Amino acid sequence: MKALSQKRRHPLAAIALLLMGLLITGGLYAVATSMNEAKASTTTASASDTEEGGKLFAANCATCHGMGASGSKDGPSLVGVGAAAVDFQVGTGRMPMQMNGPQAMKKPVQFNDQQIHQLSAYVASLGAGPAIPSEDLTNGGGDAAAGGELFRTNCAMCHNAAAAGGALTQGKFAPALADVSGKHIYEAMATGPQNMPVFNDANITPEGKKDIITFLKQIETTGSPGGANLGSLGPVAEGLFVWVAGLGVIIAFTIWLTSRTS
């Protein structure tokens, strides 16, 4: 009994109990999160939609993503990406890709709305993932001020504070967000396409995503209240442009004065 009591009071026992508690808590959190994601990823689709989506996938996508969307050397696995990822990539024309490059480029959409729905239903049937958002989250009816704060904190470093886009490394870029539907903006936040990180509901809540969409739509319709936006490159670039243009005017005026006196 004495030896057992000494073991219980050993300094490492508290650390071992703490680590065990952290492991148990992390495991329970992971299970709860996966259950919530599985519940959130339920996509309304009939068996015929899923079947037709499988045919479309085999004919147009399996070359790169493999049969059953299990992935290949030319494309990643799509198991578990959810309907939202397919709706974004195919609905914006980024997929199927036209050519290999640093990132998939936006281009005219190849499929109609029904076919996109069928492809999304098929991929969603392969594993739980983000669902296509409901219209009440993408219609821009949120808080624009709160959305602007969230955007500047989480998105502006890549997309520019005015959502005009910006260059990244190795030929990649963050696109401008004007003329992008609220649904596709929400899906991009939920799925993290290209180099964009995933903003799940723990990072930015659905209401927060709705607020960001509201902010983006507001600045898109408001335009630049100060006149020419000079590409919305930011105060440093815009100030440099004004300085160079002003200096050029001064030099030209000086040359004109000296030519008159001579």
Side-chain angles (χ1 to χ4, degrees):
M1 292 294 293
K2 184 177 179 181
L4 181 60
S5 177
Q6 289 176 343
K7 289 181 179 178
R8 287 178 179 172
R9 291 197 299 267
H10 195 282
L12 295 178
I15 298 176
L17 287 172
L18 178 61
L19 290 174
M20 186 179 297
L22 289 173
L23 288 173
I24 294 172
T25 303
L28 291 174
Y29 177 79
V31 171
T33 302
S34 63
M35 290 177 64
N36 288 334
E37 288 181 353
K39 183 178 180 182
S41 64
T42 303
T43 300
T44 303
S46 64
S48 62
D49 283 336
T50 303
E51 182 180 356
E52 290 301 316
K55 295 177 182 177
L56 286 168
F57 186 91
N60 298 276
C61 315
T63 304
C64 293
H65 293 287
M67 295 304 296
S70 57
S72 72
K73 63 181 180 62
D74 297 316
S77 169
L78 300 182
V79 177
V81 301
V86 179
D87 189 74
F88 173 82
Q89 297 285 4
V90 180
T92 60
R94 289 177 167 86
M95 291 290 164
M97 285 185 71
Q98 191 172 35
M99 64 182 73
N100 289 328
Q103 67 185 57
M105 304 294 291
K106 185 177 180 180
K107 61 184 188 300
V109 181
Q110 180 173 326
F111 301 97
N112 60 39
D113 291 343
Q114 182 182 6
Q115 291 172 323
I116 294 171
H117 173 72
Q118 291 169 342
L119 280 168
S120 301
Y122 169 71
V123 172
S125 71
L126 303 177
I132 297 172
S134 58
E135 187 177 352
D136 65 296
L137 293 173
T138 63
N139 59 10
D143 185 339
E149 184 176 349
L150 284 170
F151 183 85
R152 288 186 290 272
T153 301
N154 297 280
C155 318
M157 63 285 295
C158 293
H159 288 284
N160 181 289
L168 302 176
T169 59
Q170 299 178 345
K172 302 171 185 178
F173 63 93
L177 300 179
D179 299 322
V180 181
S181 70
K183 180 179 71 166
H184 289 152
I185 293 172
Y186 192 104
E187 289 170 343
M189 288 187 280
T191 62
Q194 313 296 339
N195 301 283
M196 184 172 172
V198 174
F199 294 101
N200 59 32
D201 291 350
N203 303 127
I204 301 177
T205 65
E207 286 299 320
K209 293 182 177 73
K210 179 178 180 178
D211 293 341
I212 289 175
I213 293 169
T214 304
F215 166 73
L216 292 173
K217 293 306 174 185
Q218 184 183 82
I219 64 174
E220 182 179 336
T221 56
T222 301
S224 177
N229 58 23
L230 301 178
S232 298
L233 298 176
V236 175
E238 293 166 7
L240 178 62
F241 174 82
V242 172
W243 188 85
V244 171
L247 184 62
V249 171
I250 293 172
I251 293 173
F253 185 70
T254 303
I255 293 174
W256 178 76
L257 284 177
T258 55
S259 65
R260 285 179 62 85
T261 57
S262 61

PDB file of all heavy atoms in Angstrom, residues 32-45 50 78-85 117 120-134 186 190-191 201:
ATOM      1  N   ALA A  32     -17.224  14.535 -32.303  1.00  0.00           N
ATOM      2  CA  ALA A  32     -18.356  15.472 -32.366  1.00  0.00           C
ATOM      3  C   ALA A  32     -18.297  16.321 -33.617  1.00  0.00           C
ATOM      4  O   ALA A  32     -19.320  16.580 -34.264  1.00  0.00           O
ATOM      5  CB  ALA A  32     -18.354  16.346 -31.118  1.00  0.00           C
ATOM      6  N   THR A  33     -17.085  16.768 -33.981  1.00  0.00           N
ATOM      7  CA  THR A  33     -16.939  17.596 -35.179  1.00  0.00           C
ATOM      8  C   THR A  33     -17.308  16.825 -36.435  1.00  0.00           C
ATOM      9  O   THR A  33     -17.983  17.341 -37.323  1.00  0.00           O
ATOM     10  CB  THR A  33     -15.491  18.109 -35.289  1.00  0.00           C
ATOM     11  OG1 THR A  33     -15.176  18.846 -34.113  1.00  0.00           O
ATOM     12  CG2 THR A  33     -15.332  19.006 -36.510  1.00  0.00           C
ATOM     13  N   SER A  34     -16.837  15.576 -36.524  1.00  0.00           N
ATOM     14  CA  SER A  34     -17.149  14.773 -37.707  1.00  0.00           C
ATOM     15  C   SER A  34     -18.638  14.510 -37.809  1.00  0.00           C
ATOM     16  O   SER A  34     -19.206  14.492 -38.897  1.00  0.00           O
ATOM     17  CB  SER A  34     -16.375  13.455 -37.666  1.00  0.00           C
ATOM     18  OG  SER A  34     -16.767  12.675 -36.546  1.00  0.00           O
ATOM     19  N   MET A  35     -19.309  14.316 -36.649  1.00  0.00           N
ATOM     20  CA  MET A  35     -20.750  14.098 -36.669  1.00  0.00           C
ATOM     21  C   MET A  35     -21.480  15.344 -37.137  1.00  0.00           C
ATOM     22  O   MET A  35     -22.427  15.269 -37.916  1.00  0.00           O
ATOM     23  CB  MET A  35     -21.233  13.690 -35.275  1.00  0.00           C
ATOM     24  CG  MET A  35     -20.783  12.300 -34.845  1.00  0.00           C
ATOM     25  SD  MET A  35     -21.298  11.890 -33.179  1.00  0.00           S
ATOM     26  CE  MET A  35     -23.074  11.889 -33.355  1.00  0.00           C
ATOM     27  N   ASN A  36     -21.023  16.514 -36.676  1.00  0.00           N
ATOM     28  CA  ASN A  36     -21.649  17.765 -37.096  1.00  0.00           C
ATOM     29  C   ASN A  36     -21.448  18.009 -38.580  1.00  0.00           C
ATOM     30  O   ASN A  36     -22.350  18.453 -39.288  1.00  0.00           O
ATOM     31  CB  ASN A  36     -21.081  18.939 -36.301  1.00  0.00           C
ATOM     32  CG  ASN A  36     -21.563  18.939 -34.862  1.00  0.00           C
ATOM     33  OD1 ASN A  36     -22.626  18.407 -34.561  1.00  0.00           O
ATOM     34  ND2 ASN A  36     -20.782  19.539 -33.974  1.00  0.00           N
ATOM     35  N   GLU A  37     -20.226  17.729 -39.074  1.00  0.00           N
ATOM     36  CA  GLU A  37     -19.951  17.932 -40.489  1.00  0.00           C
ATOM     37  C   GLU A  37     -20.781  16.981 -41.338  1.00  0.00           C
ATOM     38  O   GLU A  37     -21.279  17.338 -42.403  1.00  0.00           O
ATOM     39  CB  GLU A  37     -18.461  17.741 -40.767  1.00  0.00           C
ATOM     40  CG  GLU A  37     -17.608  18.879 -40.237  1.00  0.00           C
ATOM     41  CD  GLU A  37     -16.143  18.661 -40.543  1.00  0.00           C
ATOM     42  OE1 GLU A  37     -15.813  17.567 -41.049  1.00  0.00           O
ATOM     43  OE2 GLU A  37     -15.345  19.571 -40.282  1.00  0.00           O
ATOM     44  N   ALA A  38     -20.913  15.725 -40.850  1.00  0.00           N
ATOM     45  CA  ALA A  38     -21.718  14.774 -41.600  1.00  0.00           C
ATOM     46  C   ALA A  38     -23.167  15.228 -41.666  1.00  0.00           C
ATOM     47  O   ALA A  38     -23.842  15.110 -42.687  1.00  0.00           O
ATOM     48  CB  ALA A  38     -21.627  13.394 -40.944  1.00  0.00           C
ATOM     49  N   LYS A  39     -23.676  15.785 -40.566  1.00  0.00           N
ATOM     50  CA  LYS A  39     -25.035  16.291 -40.532  1.00  0.00           C
ATOM     51  C   LYS A  39     -25.176  17.501 -41.441  1.00  0.00           C
ATOM     52  O   LYS A  39     -26.160  17.650 -42.161  1.00  0.00           O
ATOM     53  CB  LYS A  39     -25.408  16.664 -39.093  1.00  0.00           C
ATOM     54  CG  LYS A  39     -26.849  17.132 -38.942  1.00  0.00           C
ATOM     55  CD  LYS A  39     -27.152  17.420 -37.497  1.00  0.00           C
ATOM     56  CE  LYS A  39     -28.596  17.897 -37.321  1.00  0.00           C
ATOM     57  NZ  LYS A  39     -28.892  18.226 -35.916  1.00  0.00           N
ATOM     58  N   ALA A  40     -24.182  18.381 -41.443  1.00  0.00           N
ATOM     59  CA  ALA A  40     -24.255  19.599 -42.249  1.00  0.00           C
ATOM     60  C   ALA A  40     -24.077  19.326 -43.724  1.00  0.00           C
ATOM     61  O   ALA A  40     -24.435  20.158 -44.547  1.00  0.00           O
ATOM     62  CB  ALA A  40     -23.179  20.590 -41.788  1.00  0.00           C
ATOM     63  N   SER A  41     -23.487  18.173 -44.064  1.00  0.00           N
ATOM     64  CA  SER A  41     -23.162  17.912 -45.456  1.00  0.00           C
ATOM     65  C   SER A  41     -24.264  17.165 -46.187  1.00  0.00           C
ATOM     66  O   SER A  41     -24.070  16.724 -47.310  1.00  0.00           O
ATOM     67  CB  SER A  41     -21.863  17.093 -45.534  1.00  0.00           C
ATOM     68  OG  SER A  41     -22.057  15.827 -44.944  1.00  0.00           O
ATOM     69  N   THR A  42     -25.416  16.980 -45.546  1.00  0.00           N
ATOM     70  CA  THR A  42     -26.508  16.291 -46.195  1.00  0.00           C
ATOM     71  C   THR A  42     -27.010  17.113 -47.376  1.00  0.00           C
ATOM     72  O   THR A  42     -27.419  18.254 -47.223  1.00  0.00           O
ATOM     73  CB  THR A  42     -27.662  16.049 -45.210  1.00  0.00           C
ATOM     74  OG1 THR A  42     -27.166  15.307 -44.095  1.00  0.00           O
ATOM     75  CG2 THR A  42     -28.782  15.277 -45.861  1.00  0.00           C
ATOM     76  N   THR A  43     -26.952  16.536 -48.564  1.00  0.00           N
ATOM     77  CA  THR A  43     -27.387  17.221 -49.768  1.00  0.00           C
ATOM     78  C   THR A  43     -28.616  16.529 -50.318  1.00  0.00           C
ATOM     79  O   THR A  43     -28.614  15.317 -50.511  1.00  0.00           O
ATOM     80  CB  THR A  43     -26.274  17.222 -50.830  1.00  0.00           C
ATOM     81  OG1 THR A  43     -25.130  17.887 -50.302  1.00  0.00           O
ATOM     82  CG2 THR A  43     -26.730  17.913 -52.100  1.00  0.00           C
ATOM     83  N   THR A  44     -29.683  17.294 -50.538  1.00  0.00           N
ATOM     84  CA  THR A  44     -30.912  16.715 -51.054  1.00  0.00           C
ATOM     85  C   THR A  44     -30.724  16.329 -52.508  1.00  0.00           C
ATOM     86  O   THR A  44     -30.519  17.180 -53.368  1.00  0.00           O
ATOM     87  CB  THR A  44     -32.068  17.720 -50.928  1.00  0.00           C
ATOM     88  OG1 THR A  44     -32.195  18.106 -49.556  1.00  0.00           O
ATOM     89  CG2 THR A  44     -33.369  17.107 -51.400  1.00  0.00           C
ATOM     90  N   ALA A  45     -30.780  15.038 -52.773  1.00  0.00           N
ATOM     91  CA  ALA A  45     -30.616  14.552 -54.133  1.00  0.00           C
ATOM     92  C   ALA A  45     -31.260  13.187 -54.237  1.00  0.00           C
ATOM     93  O   ALA A  45     -31.226  12.396 -53.291  1.00  0.00           O
ATOM     94  CB  ALA A  45     -29.139  14.468 -54.514  1.00  0.00           C
ATOM     95  N   THR A  50     -27.841  11.041 -58.331  1.00  0.00           N
ATOM     96  CA  THR A  50     -26.540  10.477 -57.982  1.00  0.00           C
ATOM     97  C   THR A  50     -26.040   9.552 -59.079  1.00  0.00           C
ATOM     98  O   THR A  50     -24.849   9.577 -59.438  1.00  0.00           O
ATOM     99  CB  THR A  50     -26.650   9.713 -56.658  1.00  0.00           C
ATOM    100  OG1 THR A  50     -27.138  10.585 -55.638  1.00  0.00           O
ATOM    101  CG2 THR A  50     -25.292   9.170 -56.232  1.00  0.00           C
ATOM    102  N   LEU A  78     -11.482  13.023 -54.356  1.00  0.00           N
ATOM    103  CA  LEU A  78     -12.605  13.899 -54.045  1.00  0.00           C
ATOM    104  C   LEU A  78     -13.525  13.310 -52.987  1.00  0.00           C
ATOM    105  O   LEU A  78     -14.585  13.878 -52.705  1.00  0.00           O
ATOM    106  CB  LEU A  78     -13.412  14.199 -55.316  1.00  0.00           C
ATOM    107  CG  LEU A  78     -12.649  14.886 -56.458  1.00  0.00           C
ATOM    108  CD1 LEU A  78     -13.574  15.167 -57.632  1.00  0.00           C
ATOM    109  CD2 LEU A  78     -11.993  16.176 -55.976  1.00  0.00           C
ATOM    110  N   VAL A  79     -13.119  12.208 -52.409  1.00  0.00           N
ATOM    111  CA  VAL A  79     -13.927  11.583 -51.366  1.00  0.00           C
ATOM    112  C   VAL A  79     -13.904  12.476 -50.125  1.00  0.00           C
ATOM    113  O   VAL A  79     -12.841  12.764 -49.569  1.00  0.00           O
ATOM    114  CB  VAL A  79     -13.403  10.179 -51.020  1.00  0.00           C
ATOM    115  CG1 VAL A  79     -14.212   9.564 -49.875  1.00  0.00           C
ATOM    116  CG2 VAL A  79     -13.452   9.284 -52.251  1.00  0.00           C
ATOM    117  N   GLY A  80     -15.062  12.960 -49.711  1.00  0.00           N
ATOM    118  CA  GLY A  80     -15.156  13.796 -48.527  1.00  0.00           C
ATOM    119  C   GLY A  80     -15.058  15.289 -48.783  1.00  0.00           C
ATOM    120  O   GLY A  80     -15.129  16.066 -47.828  1.00  0.00           O
ATOM    121  N   VAL A  81     -14.914  15.728 -50.042  1.00  0.00           N
ATOM    122  CA  VAL A  81     -14.827  17.178 -50.287  1.00  0.00           C
ATOM    123  C   VAL A  81     -16.207  17.826 -50.227  1.00  0.00           C
ATOM    124  O   VAL A  81     -16.324  19.040 -50.014  1.00  0.00           O
ATOM    125  CB  VAL A  81     -14.156  17.497 -51.639  1.00  0.00           C
ATOM    126  CG1 VAL A  81     -12.764  16.919 -51.699  1.00  0.00           C
ATOM    127  CG2 VAL A  81     -14.998  17.018 -52.820  1.00  0.00           C
ATOM    128  N   GLY A  82     -17.258  17.036 -50.428  1.00  0.00           N
ATOM    129  CA  GLY A  82     -18.601  17.550 -50.307  1.00  0.00           C
ATOM    130  C   GLY A  82     -19.149  18.159 -51.581  1.00  0.00           C
ATOM    131  O   GLY A  82     -18.421  18.441 -52.538  1.00  0.00           O
ATOM    132  N   ALA A  83     -20.461  18.386 -51.571  1.00  0.00           N
ATOM    133  CA  ALA A  83     -21.132  18.946 -52.742  1.00  0.00           C
ATOM    134  C   ALA A  83     -20.713  20.383 -53.009  1.00  0.00           C
ATOM    135  O   ALA A  83     -20.666  20.826 -54.158  1.00  0.00           O
ATOM    136  CB  ALA A  83     -22.650  18.871 -52.548  1.00  0.00           C
ATOM    137  N   ALA A  84     -20.394  21.130 -51.945  1.00  0.00           N
ATOM    138  CA  ALA A  84     -20.042  22.549 -52.120  1.00  0.00           C
ATOM    139  C   ALA A  84     -18.789  22.717 -52.961  1.00  0.00           C
ATOM    140  O   ALA A  84     -18.688  23.650 -53.768  1.00  0.00           O
ATOM    141  CB  ALA A  84     -19.857  23.209 -50.758  1.00  0.00           C
ATOM    142  N   ALA A  85     -17.801  21.839 -52.776  1.00  0.00           N
ATOM    143  CA  ALA A  85     -16.555  21.942 -53.538  1.00  0.00           C
ATOM    144  C   ALA A  85     -16.810  21.726 -55.022  1.00  0.00           C
ATOM    145  O   ALA A  85     -16.274  22.447 -55.873  1.00  0.00           O
ATOM    146  CB  ALA A  85     -15.535  20.932 -53.016  1.00  0.00           C
ATOM    147  N   HIS A 117     -25.657  19.940 -60.422  1.00  0.00           N
ATOM    148  CA  HIS A 117     -26.332  19.358 -59.260  1.00  0.00           C
ATOM    149  C   HIS A 117     -26.090  17.849 -59.204  1.00  0.00           C
ATOM    150  O   HIS A 117     -25.851  17.282 -58.126  1.00  0.00           O
ATOM    151  CB  HIS A 117     -27.829  19.657 -59.335  1.00  0.00           C
ATOM    152  CG  HIS A 117     -28.632  18.975 -58.276  1.00  0.00           C
ATOM    153  ND1 HIS A 117     -28.602  19.355 -56.950  1.00  0.00           N
ATOM    154  CD2 HIS A 117     -29.485  17.908 -58.342  1.00  0.00           C
ATOM    155  CE1 HIS A 117     -29.399  18.561 -56.242  1.00  0.00           C
ATOM    156  NE2 HIS A 117     -29.941  17.678 -57.064  1.00  0.00           N
ATOM    157  N   SER A 120     -22.504  17.147 -58.164  1.00  0.00           N
ATOM    158  CA  SER A 120     -22.362  17.436 -56.733  1.00  0.00           C
ATOM    159  C   SER A 120     -22.977  16.327 -55.897  1.00  0.00           C
ATOM    160  O   SER A 120     -22.416  15.919 -54.872  1.00  0.00           O
ATOM    161  CB  SER A 120     -23.030  18.774 -56.399  1.00  0.00           C
ATOM    162  OG  SER A 120     -22.457  19.832 -57.137  1.00  0.00           O
ATOM    163  N   ALA A 121     -24.141  15.831 -56.324  1.00  0.00           N
ATOM    164  CA  ALA A 121     -24.812  14.760 -55.589  1.00  0.00           C
ATOM    165  C   ALA A 121     -23.969  13.493 -55.583  1.00  0.00           C
ATOM    166  O   ALA A 121     -23.875  12.790 -54.567  1.00  0.00           O
ATOM    167  CB  ALA A 121     -26.180  14.488 -56.205  1.00  0.00           C
ATOM    168  N   TYR A 122     -23.348  13.188 -56.720  1.00  0.00           N
ATOM    169  CA  TYR A 122     -22.518  11.978 -56.787  1.00  0.00           C
ATOM    170  C   TYR A 122     -21.316  12.074 -55.846  1.00  0.00           C
ATOM    171  O   TYR A 122     -21.052  11.147 -55.068  1.00  0.00           O
ATOM    172  CB  TYR A 122     -22.039  11.753 -58.222  1.00  0.00           C
ATOM    173  CG  TYR A 122     -20.980  10.681 -58.320  1.00  0.00           C
ATOM    174  CD1 TYR A 122     -21.302   9.341 -58.123  1.00  0.00           C
ATOM    175  CD2 TYR A 122     -19.649  11.001 -58.597  1.00  0.00           C
ATOM    176  CE1 TYR A 122     -20.335   8.355 -58.186  1.00  0.00           C
ATOM    177  CE2 TYR A 122     -18.677  10.025 -58.669  1.00  0.00           C
ATOM    178  CZ  TYR A 122     -19.023   8.700 -58.463  1.00  0.00           C
ATOM    179  OH  TYR A 122     -18.054   7.735 -58.520  1.00  0.00           O
ATOM    180  N   VAL A 123     -20.598  13.189 -55.880  1.00  0.00           N
ATOM    181  CA  VAL A 123     -19.420  13.338 -55.017  1.00  0.00           C
ATOM    182  C   VAL A 123     -19.838  13.373 -53.544  1.00  0.00           C
ATOM    183  O   VAL A 123     -19.165  12.802 -52.680  1.00  0.00           O
ATOM    184  CB  VAL A 123     -18.628  14.599 -55.405  1.00  0.00           C
ATOM    185  CG1 VAL A 123     -17.509  14.866 -54.396  1.00  0.00           C
ATOM    186  CG2 VAL A 123     -18.041  14.447 -56.804  1.00  0.00           C
ATOM    187  N   ALA A 124     -20.975  14.011 -53.258  1.00  0.00           N
ATOM    188  CA  ALA A 124     -21.454  14.054 -51.876  1.00  0.00           C
ATOM    189  C   ALA A 124     -21.794  12.664 -51.360  1.00  0.00           C
ATOM    190  O   ALA A 124     -21.671  12.396 -50.155  1.00  0.00           O
ATOM    191  CB  ALA A 124     -22.674  14.964 -51.775  1.00  0.00           C
ATOM    192  N   SER A 125     -22.194  11.765 -52.256  1.00  0.00           N
ATOM    193  CA  SER A 125     -22.541  10.407 -51.832  1.00  0.00           C
ATOM    194  C   SER A 125     -21.317   9.581 -51.453  1.00  0.00           C
ATOM    195  O   SER A 125     -21.451   8.532 -50.810  1.00  0.00           O
ATOM    196  CB  SER A 125     -23.313   9.694 -52.952  1.00  0.00           C
ATOM    197  OG  SER A 125     -22.452   9.375 -54.044  1.00  0.00           O
ATOM    198  N   LEU A 126     -20.124  10.049 -51.819  1.00  0.00           N
ATOM    199  CA  LEU A 126     -18.899   9.290 -51.548  1.00  0.00           C
ATOM    200  C   LEU A 126     -18.364   9.516 -50.142  1.00  0.00           C
ATOM    201  O   LEU A 126     -17.564   8.713 -49.649  1.00  0.00           O
ATOM    202  CB  LEU A 126     -17.818   9.667 -52.571  1.00  0.00           C
ATOM    203  CG  LEU A 126     -18.182   9.463 -54.044  1.00  0.00           C
ATOM    204  CD1 LEU A 126     -17.048   9.958 -54.935  1.00  0.00           C
ATOM    205  CD2 LEU A 126     -18.484   8.002 -54.338  1.00  0.00           C
ATOM    206  N   GLY A 127     -18.752  10.610 -49.496  1.00  0.00           N
ATOM    207  CA  GLY A 127     -18.249  10.909 -48.160  1.00  0.00           C
ATOM    208  C   GLY A 127     -18.762  12.250 -47.682  1.00  0.00           C
ATOM    209  O   GLY A 127     -19.091  13.131 -48.491  1.00  0.00           O
ATOM    210  N   ALA A 128     -18.857  12.398 -46.366  1.00  0.00           N
ATOM    211  CA  ALA A 128     -19.391  13.636 -45.789  1.00  0.00           C
ATOM    212  C   ALA A 128     -18.464  14.811 -46.069  1.00  0.00           C
ATOM    213  O   ALA A 128     -17.240  14.686 -46.017  1.00  0.00           O
ATOM    214  CB  ALA A 128     -19.575  13.476 -44.285  1.00  0.00           C
ATOM    215  N   GLY A 129     -19.058  15.954 -46.364  1.00  0.00           N
ATOM    216  CA  GLY A 129     -18.302  17.176 -46.618  1.00  0.00           C
ATOM    217  C   GLY A 129     -19.240  18.363 -46.642  1.00  0.00           C
ATOM    218  O   GLY A 129     -20.458  18.203 -46.499  1.00  0.00           O
ATOM    219  N   PRO A 130     -18.723  19.580 -46.826  1.00  0.00           N
ATOM    220  CA  PRO A 130     -19.576  20.781 -46.819  1.00  0.00           C
ATOM    221  C   PRO A 130     -20.670  20.708 -47.880  1.00  0.00           C
ATOM    222  O   PRO A 130     -20.414  20.336 -49.027  1.00  0.00           O
ATOM    223  CB  PRO A 130     -18.594  21.914 -47.115  1.00  0.00           C
ATOM    224  CG  PRO A 130     -17.265  21.381 -46.689  1.00  0.00           C
ATOM    225  CD  PRO A 130     -17.289  19.920 -46.983  1.00  0.00           C
ATOM    226  N   ALA A 131     -21.873  21.056 -47.475  1.00  0.00           N
ATOM    227  CA  ALA A 131     -23.012  21.047 -48.388  1.00  0.00           C
ATOM    228  C   ALA A 131     -23.140  22.387 -49.095  1.00  0.00           C
ATOM    229  O   ALA A 131     -22.558  23.388 -48.680  1.00  0.00           O
ATOM    230  CB  ALA A 131     -24.298  20.743 -47.619  1.00  0.00           C
ATOM    231  N   ILE A 132     -23.903  22.403 -50.172  1.00  0.00           N
ATOM    232  CA  ILE A 132     -24.207  23.657 -50.865  1.00  0.00           C
ATOM    233  C   ILE A 132     -25.040  24.519 -49.919  1.00  0.00           C
ATOM    234  O   ILE A 132     -26.034  24.053 -49.369  1.00  0.00           O
ATOM    235  CB  ILE A 132     -24.978  23.374 -52.164  1.00  0.00           C
ATOM    236  CG1 ILE A 132     -24.103  22.555 -53.121  1.00  0.00           C
ATOM    237  CG2 ILE A 132     -25.422  24.676 -52.832  1.00  0.00           C
ATOM    238  CD1 ILE A 132     -24.828  22.055 -54.350  1.00  0.00           C
ATOM    239  N   PRO A 133     -24.652  25.764 -49.670  1.00  0.00           N
ATOM    240  CA  PRO A 133     -25.347  26.594 -48.667  1.00  0.00           C
ATOM    241  C   PRO A 133     -26.750  26.966 -49.119  1.00  0.00           C
ATOM    242  O   PRO A 133     -27.033  27.068 -50.314  1.00  0.00           O
ATOM    243  CB  PRO A 133     -24.444  27.825 -48.543  1.00  0.00           C
ATOM    244  CG  PRO A 133     -23.755  27.918 -49.869  1.00  0.00           C
ATOM    245  CD  PRO A 133     -23.534  26.501 -50.303  1.00  0.00           C
ATOM    246  N   SER A 134     -27.601  27.196 -48.145  1.00  0.00           N
ATOM    247  CA  SER A 134     -28.961  27.630 -48.437  1.00  0.00           C
ATOM    248  C   SER A 134     -28.960  29.106 -48.848  1.00  0.00           C
ATOM    249  O   SER A 134     -28.040  29.859 -48.529  1.00  0.00           O
ATOM    250  CB  SER A 134     -29.861  27.426 -47.223  1.00  0.00           C
ATOM    251  OG  SER A 134     -29.350  28.134 -46.110  1.00  0.00           O
ATOM    252  N   TYR A 186     -19.464  31.827 -50.514  1.00  0.00           N
ATOM    253  CA  TYR A 186     -19.657  30.996 -49.314  1.00  0.00           C
ATOM    254  C   TYR A 186     -18.960  29.648 -49.496  1.00  0.00           C
ATOM    255  O   TYR A 186     -18.263  29.169 -48.594  1.00  0.00           O
ATOM    256  CB  TYR A 186     -21.153  30.789 -49.065  1.00  0.00           C
ATOM    257  CG  TYR A 186     -21.476  30.188 -47.718  1.00  0.00           C
ATOM    258  CD1 TYR A 186     -21.984  30.970 -46.687  1.00  0.00           C
ATOM    259  CD2 TYR A 186     -21.270  28.828 -47.470  1.00  0.00           C
ATOM    260  CE1 TYR A 186     -22.275  30.423 -45.449  1.00  0.00           C
ATOM    261  CE2 TYR A 186     -21.569  28.277 -46.242  1.00  0.00           C
ATOM    262  CZ  TYR A 186     -22.068  29.077 -45.232  1.00  0.00           C
ATOM    263  OH  TYR A 186     -22.340  28.528 -44.009  1.00  0.00           O
ATOM    264  N   ALA A 190     -15.956  27.769 -47.327  1.00  0.00           N
ATOM    265  CA  ALA A 190     -16.211  26.492 -46.672  1.00  0.00           C
ATOM    266  C   ALA A 190     -15.296  25.381 -47.155  1.00  0.00           C
ATOM    267  O   ALA A 190     -15.023  24.424 -46.412  1.00  0.00           O
ATOM    268  CB  ALA A 190     -17.667  26.080 -46.872  1.00  0.00           C
ATOM    269  N   THR A 191     -14.784  25.487 -48.400  1.00  0.00           N
ATOM    270  CA  THR A 191     -14.012  24.382 -48.971  1.00  0.00           C
ATOM    271  C   THR A 191     -12.537  24.708 -49.201  1.00  0.00           C
ATOM    272  O   THR A 191     -11.724  23.797 -49.346  1.00  0.00           O
ATOM    273  CB  THR A 191     -14.636  23.939 -50.308  1.00  0.00           C
ATOM    274  OG1 THR A 191     -14.598  25.030 -51.254  1.00  0.00           O
ATOM    275  CG2 THR A 191     -16.083  23.514 -50.114  1.00  0.00           C
ATOM    276  N   ASP A 201     -16.914  26.225 -39.827  1.00  0.00           N
ATOM    277  CA  ASP A 201     -17.818  26.963 -38.940  1.00  0.00           C
ATOM    278  C   ASP A 201     -17.165  27.319 -37.611  1.00  0.00           C
ATOM    279  O   ASP A 201     -17.650  28.215 -36.912  1.00  0.00           O
ATOM    280  CB  ASP A 201     -19.082  26.141 -38.691  1.00  0.00           C
ATOM    281  CG  ASP A 201     -19.938  26.028 -39.942  1.00  0.00           C
ATOM    282  OD1 ASP A 201     -19.640  26.738 -40.917  1.00  0.00           O
ATOM    283  OD2 ASP A 201     -20.888  25.227 -39.942  1.00  0.00           O
TER     284      ASP A 201
END
